[in-house]
Amino acid sequence: MIDHDLVRQLRVQVADRLNDQRRRDQMNGVAAMSVDDEREYARSLIVQVLEDYARFQIAEGQAPVSAEEEGSLASAIHSALFGVGRLQPLLDDPEVENIDINGCDCVFVQYGDGREERLPQVADDDEELVELIQILAAHTGLTSRPFDSANPLLDLRLPDGSRLSAVMNVCARPSISIRRARLGRVFLDELVGNGTMSHDIGAFLKAAVLARKNVMIAGSTNAGKTTMLRALANEIPAHERLVTVERALELGLGEFEDLHPNVVAFEERLSNSEGVGGVEMAELVRRSLRMNPSRVIVGEVLGDEIVTMLNAMSQGNDGSLSTIHSNSSMEVFNRIGTYAIQARERLPLEATNLLIAGALDFVVFIRKRNDYVSGGTQRRVIESIREVVGHDGQVLSSEVFAPDSDGVAAAHAPISCIADLEEEGYHPLVHGRWAG
């Protein structure tokens, strides 16, 4: 078993030596090391620190740790510096889907099949847990993000693509939720294979992306919206230039150069302690339009960026994708209206509905179902797809795919833009529906 107290002590020594090297480089005018170079340099420092510790043990008349124990210590120290410490084994487990921590010794995980378990503590105390998150916040993302009493809320993307949300000082103990990115390089065919959608809907969505339809993916928390967004984005031809806008980098479309070699990823920047330097989502969406994008992809709509995004969609930037929280496909329009009326533009509901009608083509609603307790398993399914067809004081929409007796979306009504989809290979008669 790893001695976590020893890991903390040795990590401090490695961090001190790493910081000393950074200062020397700065004083000598040497360019700062890249993140990858720092990680490799830290490995050499870990070897030095472990050698020093072995000499100390011998001097104290103790037997030095074995080669196997030394290897485990080295991995634990490196994880404490650049990874997630004792959380690393959970992130390495492909079956773990969600990790919820309500203080260092109150740890719950949810597995892909719907099981939930309570696991041992991941830090010696809450202070160590906060320190771990602070280290991650300092080295993850495009810019360092503070996590302290003045900045008690944190969202960031971990190196493996998982999404971390942390809160302190507004609850009794620091609280952390990690949502695993279990499906990074994902395609519509895979989601058809695992039962998320039918072959018909898979063919329809592929054609909608190729036909440059503006699609919004809706669902509750952890319903699989981001995975669906990745799958849709991976149907975009490789020659197109993508600009993504996110609060915390999560999509990672640029990581797969064979799929998307030309990607610009924008991340919202928070204000510093003086309240300056922040760059909001709405400004990033506006800026994205000046970056010669083939398509703009907004990772998650949560505020006043909705007006800017809808304006972009309605002004010729077709083929945009985004996600939004909602409990049904129909509720999406009310949710957009709520965000829009809170935006700086203060759009009234009628103007918002007119904007929606001119911007959105389809709303895809996905629902998460956990049947593990009743002997089943956990799964996510597309339940409904709405086509926006016009405006008459309110948004007019048609539920072209509606829930069947099993609650899974099936063909329900004619598609108004069917001709555009047929040009991209979607043939409703072949896929078992009418042409309208």
Side-chain angles (χ1 to χ4, degrees):
M1 179 177 288
I2 294 178
D3 184 341
H4 293 290
D5 285 334
L6 178 59
V7 170
R8 292 182 69 182
Q9 296 172 22
L10 299 181
R11 183 193 66 77
V12 170
Q13 294 181 34
V14 175
D16 288 344
R17 297 187 188 192
L18 182 58
N19 287 329
D20 287 342
Q21 186 61 49
R22 289 170 179 158
R23 284 191 290 269
R24 286 195 296 270
D25 288 347
Q26 187 175 15
M27 291 175 59
N28 296 328
V30 177
M33 289 183 283
S34 67
V35 174
D36 290 339
D37 288 342
E38 274 202 353
R39 288 173 182 252
E40 287 306 311
Y41 181 59
R43 294 186 189 279
S44 66
L45 293 178
I46 291 171
V47 172
Q48 295 173 22
V49 167
L50 287 174
E51 288 176 350
D52 291 345
Y53 178 65
R55 283 193 289 270
F56 168 78
Q57 286 182 299
I58 293 172
E60 291 292 314
Q62 303 172 11
V65 297
S66 66
E68 182 179 352
E69 292 172 321
E70 187 174 281
S72 297
L73 278 173
S75 296
I77 295 169
H78 198 269
S79 292
L81 273 172
F82 299 104
V84 288
R86 284 188 246 179
L87 287 172
Q88 195 64 52
L90 298 181
L91 294 179
D92 291 338
D93 186 343
E95 298 303 316
V96 171
E97 185 166 278
N98 294 309
I99 305 168
D100 295 315
I101 304 169
N102 310 321
C104 66
D105 56 355
C106 193
V107 182
F108 299 87
V109 298
Q110 184 180 66
Y111 296 91
D113 60 4
R115 288 179 295 132
E116 294 187 9
E117 291 183 4
R118 182 167 181 170
L119 298 184
Q121 64 191 72
V122 293
D124 290 341
D125 50 43
D126 286 351
E127 288 73 19
E128 182 186 349
L129 181 62
V130 170
E131 181 185 358
L132 167 63
I133 302 305
Q134 289 172 334
I135 292 171
L136 285 172
H139 295 93
T140 304
L142 298 180
T143 57
S144 175
R145 296 192 168 207
F147 185 57
D148 48 36
S149 57
N151 301 274
L153 311 178
L154 175 70
D155 290 295
L156 55 83
R157 178 181 184 264
L158 299 180
D160 72 342
S162 299
R163 181 193 302 177
L164 180 146
S165 177
V167 180
M168 65 182 293
N169 288 359
V170 293
C171 46
R173 305 179 68 184
S175 177
I176 301 163
S177 291
I178 300 175
R179 292 168 57 187
R180 294 288 314 287
R182 298 176 66 235
L183 295 175
R185 187 185 174 100
V186 60
F187 299 92
L188 289 176
D189 288 346
E190 295 175 65
L191 299 185
V192 169
N194 67 20
T196 300
M197 68 187 82
S198 66
H199 287 281
D200 183 31
I201 291 180
F204 161 80
L205 290 176
K206 180 175 182 178
V209 171
L210 295 177
R212 305 188 67 85
K213 299 302 179 182
N214 294 322
V215 179
M216 181 166 281
I217 302 162
S220 61
T221 300
N222 200 27
K225 300 186 295 296
T226 301
T227 296
M228 181 64 65
L229 181 58
R230 289 194 186 104
L232 292 179
N234 286 340
E235 298 296 337
I236 298 174
H239 68 267
E240 295 194 31
R241 175 175 169 82
L242 309 182
V243 179
T244 66
V245 183
E246 302 177 85
R247 280 183 167 74
L249 293 180
E250 180 182 10
L251 288 173
L253 298 182
E255 295 176 5
F256 308 109
E257 290 197 5
D258 58 323
L259 298 176
H260 307 294
N262 191 355
V263 178
V264 178
F266 286 165
E267 181 183 45
E268 181 182 47
R269 190 170 75 184
L270 304 179
S271 302
N272 61 19
S273 56
E274 285 77 36
V276 298
V279 183
E280 298 179 343
M281 286 279 288
E283 176 57 34
L284 290 175
V285 174
R286 279 189 286 271
R287 177 60 57 176
S288 70
L289 301 179
R290 303 180 185 178
M291 302 298 293
N292 190 32
S294 298
R295 307 188 194 222
V296 175
I297 299 175
V298 180
E300 186 173 38
V301 175
L302 289 174
D304 61 358
E305 67 273 8
I306 186 65
V307 176
T308 308
M309 187 188 73
L310 290 176
N311 274 321
M313 287 179 173
S314 62
Q315 293 171 5
N317 199 268
D318 296 331
S320 294
L321 305 171
S322 62
T323 71
I324 192 170
H325 281 85
S326 179
N327 292 317
S328 71
S329 59
M330 191 67 182
E331 186 191 311
V332 167
F333 309 126
N334 291 332
R335 180 60 59 93
I336 293 174
T338 301
Y339 289 151
I341 204 170
Q342 296 173 11
R344 69 182 65 174
E345 292 88 349
R346 294 291 189 269
L347 284 188
L349 184 57
E350 185 174 351
T352 301
N353 288 338
L354 186 60
L355 188 57
I356 294 171
L360 275 184
D361 293 302
F362 293 103
V363 172
V364 177
F365 180 74
I366 185 169
R367 187 180 295 280
K368 173 185 174 183
R369 296 179 176 176
N370 190 349
D371 301 323
Y372 179 79
V373 175
S374 59
T377 186
Q378 178 174 270
R379 64 183 184 135
R380 294 167 172 84
V381 297
I382 290 180
E383 185 178 89
S384 169
I385 299 178
R386 284 188 177 274
E387 181 182 18
V388 177
V389 294
H391 173 266
D392 185 15
Q394 61 182 1
V395 178
L396 301 179
S397 66
S398 171
E399 194 171 25
V400 293
F401 291 88
D404 61 13
S405 58
D406 294 324
V408 180
H412 179 68
I415 301 173
S416 296
C417 65
I418 190 63
D420 296 336
L421 303 183
E422 287 178 326
E423 287 184 10
E424 300 299 339
Y426 179 64
H427 302 293
L429 295 179
V430 174
H431 294 287
R433 64 177 300 139
W434 58 88

